[in-house]
């Protein structure tokens, strides 16, 4: 169910950011990662999917890639690349939300390494949202810096984690 939860998060995010009341305020990209690649572009900055059909194609690409990906985890490399990439954009706030299946320990990636990658540029606020079995996700979220790690074991947790991360990251002004 992890891939389905990630797809649900992407749908929620794209639908929210497609609202005419917010489209002019945000620019975003969505980049997937797997055991095969740490950067699998799904949505590019400045080119958000405009229709439901375009958003459905993004999700379809995500599923197709996941079906062909080998085992492995590129979460750490994805966090590093995302932080570098978003820092280059002109913006009031630079945010990275890394969704990971929380199998990092199997690939010798520690929460400290992931936190360092997400905090490698002081202009970027990075959050990790772990979607996996409860014990691994909870442990990883707890080991991240306060407010930067979240466990999402179901759709409701995912919505809550994204909302909390987003609200804590955006500069009000």
């Amino acid at each position: 169910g992890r891939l389905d939860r990630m797809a649900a998060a992407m749908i929620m995010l794209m639908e929210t950011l497609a609202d005419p009341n917010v489209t002019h305020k945000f620019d975003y990209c969505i980049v997937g990662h797997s055991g095969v690649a740490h950067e699998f572009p799904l949505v590019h900055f400045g080119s958000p999917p405009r229709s439901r059909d375009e958003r459905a194609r993004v999700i379809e690409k995500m599923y197709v890639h996941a079906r062909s990906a080998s085992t492995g985890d590129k979460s750490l490399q994805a966090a590093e690349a995302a932080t570098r990439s978003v820092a280059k954009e002109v913006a009031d706030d630079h945010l990275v939300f890394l969704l990971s299946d929380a199998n990092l320990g199997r690939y010798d990636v520690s929460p400290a390494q992931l936190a360092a990658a997400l905090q490698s540029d002081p202009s970027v606020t990075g959050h990790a949202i772990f979607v996996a079995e409860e014990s691994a996700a909870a442990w990883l979220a707890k080991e991240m810096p306060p407010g930067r790690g979240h466990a999402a074991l179901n759709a409701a947790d995912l919505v809550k984690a994204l909302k909390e991360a987003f609200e804590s990251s955006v500069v009000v002004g």
Side-chain angles (χ1 to χ4, degrees):
R2 294 180 297 227
L3 181 58
D4 292 337
R5 278 181 274 167
M6 289 185 193
M10 296 306 95
I11 291 167
M12 179 190 70
L13 189 62
M14 289 186 294
E15 288 289 326
T16 300
L17 294 172
D19 181 327
N21 294 320
V22 297
T23 55
H24 67 284
K25 295 180 184 180
F26 299 98
D27 190 12
Y28 69 96
C29 73
I30 299 174
V31 179
H33 66 279
S34 65
V36 175
H38 70 278
E39 287 184 293
F40 180 69
L42 295 165
V43 174
H44 297 277
F45 281 114
S47 300
R50 303 273 181 218
S51 68
R52 286 186 185 261
D53 286 344
E54 288 178 1
R55 291 188 285 278
R57 283 193 290 277
V58 170
I59 300 304
E60 183 180 351
K61 280 176 58 178
M62 192 170 111
Y63 275 95
V64 167
H65 179 78
R67 280 194 296 268
S68 65
S70 62
T71 2
D73 190 286
K74 304 272 191 217
S75 296
L76 181 59
Q77 296 91 332
E80 292 166 344
T83 301
R84 278 192 310 271
S85 175
V86 78
K88 293 176 186 174
E89 298 296 315
V90 176
D92 293 334
D93 296 297
H94 295 92
L95 312 174
V96 170
F97 301 105
L98 176 80
L99 272 69
S100 174
D101 68 4
N103 288 324
L104 304 174
R106 183 181 308 165
Y107 302 101
D108 295 322
V109 176
S110 72
Q113 289 172 298
L114 193 58
L118 290 169
Q119 295 177 325
S120 60
D121 188 304
S123 71
V124 177
T125 302
H127 292 268
I129 301 172
F130 301 106
V131 293
E133 62 274 355
E134 186 173 359
S135 60
W139 175 76
L140 286 163
K142 181 179 168 241
E143 293 298 313
M144 294 293 291
R148 299 295 181 92
H150 311 270
L153 308 175
N154 57 52
D157 288 344
L158 192 52
V159 170
K160 181 181 174 192
L162 282 167
K163 183 176 186 239
E164 287 175 0
F166 189 75
E167 287 176 345
S168 72
S169 299
V170 176
V171 175
V172 179

